[in-house]
Structure formats: structure tokens, C-alpha cells
Amino acid sequence: MNEWLTTVMTEPAVLVTVAIVEGSGPREPGARMLVTAGGQVDTIGGGHLEMCAVDVGRSMLKSAARTGEGVPARLERYALGPTLGQCCGGVVHLAFELIDASLADIMASLRKRWREDSWRLSAIDGTPVSLLLDADGAVVAGASGDAAAFGPAFPVIDHQRGTHILRDTAGRRWLADPCLAPRAHLLLFGAGHVGAAIVRMLGELPCTVTWIDEREDMFPSTIPANVAVEATDTPEALVAGAPAGASYLVMTHSHELDQRLSEAILSRADVGWFGLIGSKTKRVQFERRMAARGLPQERIAAMVCPIGIAGITNKLPAAIAASVCAQLLMVWEAQQIAALDDTVPVRLAASR
């Protein structure tokens, strides 16, 4: 997950960001990768497009090594069809930034702030400038003096546009790049084969997971970085303490425990998504019992059981995991879009 950020570079590198996509492109604005003299970390997709990006990044590294000086950022336009012979047919604009001391500081701060919303602001033209803003526009990394120099006329950063290029009043171009905290948080109850397969897949995706089971010996020795393990005899307490809008997935070794957890989850009015492993028959039984306990019918109806996307009937743990993770991705992407729509534009605090 976010290897471009989690990988701490020990050699010179260039950060490549998809800044603009017109029409169809292999990755979305905000996709990023690192390019070094002998390799790369993460991907912007596209085969030939990525090869061209690697070439540009390495030419920047050679120039910096030859002159011993900083290299200005670049914004390059690639017409995928006419120029690269790719069938996507769209146009992709890539931003290239040499990771100097300032940008390295920005990335280190981002690693610490990964649970908080941030915005990267980098100059494309002129002297390299890199800033990191919090959700309110305050500078949290980078040179605050640079922010003060922008003046009150510096354009507002529009959350709803996501990653984009903006211009200041002098015509200078800037990369505005949101680095948002994962909205997707899953409480996964059950450390059996299916639960373990789901955790392995979610370890590569932009989310956080609390993995819960009373049987401590069921958890593997190696856990993905975005997963926290909770071995507890009172899993209902974790439901009560979960953040608003969280997702829940119940697949324990006990139908009785599944029932208790389902009732605890549906007692909350702020559940983002709730899935229960089981058959249609299990759903009918659980619905009847929960209705008898007075749980609201609209919440019961929102429970997803059986889980997984339609058309996949394979019962292998890995197949179930693939189906459920695809289902969760659809839910979480919709939530992320809604989160961007609900936020307000950001203006540099120094310009207020």
C-alpha cells in the first residue's frame, strides 16, 4: 500500500505523479511512483507510458549528478494514442520532482501523518518549492516563508478536483496533490482461513484493518503494516469503540458469536457497511432473531449476507477473499468520493 511513500529511499530518486488525465488513462490523477538509477517503486501504469516516465526520471537524476545542483520540476504531456501507440487514447500529464532535502522532509512528514488529511503543494516552474499543508491550509512541513510569499491572491485549492495543476497570479504552475487519510477502516471478526486470506489482500490496499479474534494463536506471525491485531474475549467492546462510518465483516468460528456481533453492529446508527459470512438461510434466521429484539428493520435490511460480488460461487478462501475485497473496494471508493464532495476548499493559512 502506497509503496512510493512507505519505501524510505537510500539513493537519489525522482517522484513521478499523474497530474492530469484527459480521456482514458491507465491510472488516475494522484497515482505515483519513484524512479531511481536502477529501478522503480510503485507504478503509474501504462507499459510504454511508464517506460517513458522512467527515462525522463533517470535523465533528471543524471543531470543532478553531473551538475551537483538541484533540477527543476517538470510537467510532461503524453498523448497515449498518437505518441505512444497505446489504445487508451487519452492524454496524461506527468509531474516529475527530484527528491531533494525539502521534498524528502515532506515525505517523512507524510509518513507520520498518514492518518490525517494533507495536501502537497509543489512548484512546477522556477525555483523548486515543496510544502505540506494540513486540511485547514496550515503549513506543517516545508519552508513557511515560501508560503507567506505567495500572498493573499494565491488560488484556493479545490478538494473536489483531487490532484491537479493550478496557477498563481504570476502564471506559475503548481502541483496540488491531496494525500488523504484512508477513509476505509474495517473491523474484521474472525481469524480463520477466509479472514486470513482477506487480510493478505487488504494489506496491499488503501485501508486500515482491525483484525479481531479471541484465539491469539490463530493470528500469523507476519501482519501487514495497515492491520492491527486484537486478541480479545469481548469483541463487542470493539464494536462500541469503532469510529463512525467504519465497515464491519463478521466471520467467526461461532454462529452464536456472529449473532451477538451482528446485533451490536446493527445497534449503531453510523455503520458504513456491514457484511456477514453465510448463506441465505443464515440471513433469514438472523433477521428473524434481530427483528424480535427490536432492531430497526432498515438496518437489518442493510446487512450484506451472503457476502461477495454476484457471479463468483467458488468457495476457496482465496476466491471468497477476492470477491469480498472487490465488494469492499466498491463501497470504499464511493465513500472516498463522498468525502471529497463534503470537504471545503483549502487556502494557505499564511495567506488568510
Side-chain angles (χ1 to χ4, degrees):
M1 181 182 75
N2 292 336
E3 290 181 64
W4 69 274
L5 181 60
T6 58
T7 302
V8 179
M9 303 305 298
T10 57
E11 60 181 314
V14 168
L15 175 61
V16 184
T17 304
V18 178
I20 304 170
V21 177
E22 301 166 354
S24 178
R27 290 290 305 275
E28 70 285 352
R32 311 169 187 92
M33 74 175 184
L34 300 173
V35 176
T36 67
Q40 69 182 75
V41 177
D42 232 321
T43 177
I44 59 164
H48 194 186
L49 172 66
E50 188 162 278
M51 290 175 59
C52 291
V54 168
D55 288 342
V56 171
R58 288 178 180 161
S59 72
M60 292 175 65
L61 291 171
K62 289 178 181 177
S63 177
R66 184 173 59 253
T67 63
E69 299 177 355
V71 177
R74 296 170 59 171
L75 185 68
E76 300 289 342
R77 178 184 183 275
Y78 297 90
L80 301 181
T83 305
L84 302 184
Q86 295 187 210
C87 60
C88 294
V91 176
V92 175
H93 300 248
L94 300 180
F96 296 83
E97 302 169 79
L98 182 71
I99 301 181
D100 56 12
S102 177
L103 184 51
D105 180 52
I106 298 294
M107 295 174 70
S109 297
L110 271 175
R111 284 190 284 272
K112 297 176 182 177
R113 289 176 49 85
W114 72 279
R115 291 182 181 273
E116 302 175 70
D117 286 350
S118 305
W119 278 81
R120 276 197 326 117
L121 194 59
S122 293
I124 298 298
D125 305 313
T127 303
V129 178
S130 296
L131 297 171
L132 187 66
L133 315 180
D134 67 13
D136 296 321
V139 178
V140 295
S144 58
D146 291 328
F150 294 148
F154 193 82
V156 171
I157 301 171
D158 187 353
H159 261 288
Q160 296 185 18
R161 292 185 64 188
T163 300
H164 62 284
I165 299 294
L166 53 79
R167 290 181 181 270
D168 61 21
T169 53
R172 191 181 189 186
R173 295 174 300 173
W174 296 82
L175 172 67
D177 187 23
C179 301
L180 303 182
R183 261 53 181 186
H185 179 68
L186 175 70
L187 279 78
L188 172 57
F189 297 89
H193 295 294
V194 176
I198 289 173
V199 163
R200 287 193 293 271
M201 290 189 183
L202 292 180
E204 299 291 328
L205 297 174
C207 64
T208 57
V209 181
T210 302
W211 193 13
I212 306 148
D213 201 296
E214 63 187 15
R215 304 163 296 172
E216 189 169 4
D217 61 332
M218 292 292 292
F219 295 109
S221 57
T222 302
I223 304 293
N226 61 337
V227 177
V229 164
E230 289 281 354
T232 177
D233 293 328
T234 57
E236 295 94 331
L238 293 171
V239 174
S247 301
Y248 302 81
L249 190 53
V250 173
M251 47 179 58
T252 77
H253 60 290
S254 164
H255 274 217
E256 179 184 355
L257 180 55
D258 284 357
Q259 178 79 46
R260 297 203 319 265
L261 288 168
S262 298
E263 292 174 7
I265 293 165
L266 294 182
S267 293
R268 296 189 55 150
D270 57 359
V271 172
W273 181 87
F274 167 41
L276 170 68
I277 197 168
S279 62
K280 293 179 180 178
T281 301
K282 181 178 180 179
R283 180 188 183 101
V284 170
Q285 292 175 346
F286 275 43
E287 284 181 334
R288 186 181 303 118
R289 294 169 188 167
M290 288 187 287
R293 287 167 171 76
L295 287 169
Q297 186 57 47
E298 64 273 14
R299 294 185 197 170
I300 297 173
M303 176 180 70
V304 178
C305 180
I307 54 174
I309 58 177
I312 297 179
T313 59
N314 193 310
K315 301 300 183 185
L316 281 172
I320 297 172
S323 179
V324 172
C325 288
Q327 188 174 37
L328 285 168
L329 276 178
M330 289 189 287
V331 171
W332 290 339
E333 287 192 6
Q335 291 174 347
Q336 190 83 347
I337 291 170
L340 282 171
D341 289 343
D342 288 342
T343 52
V344 296
V346 172
R347 183 180 290 281
L348 284 172
S351 62
R352 289 174 181 162

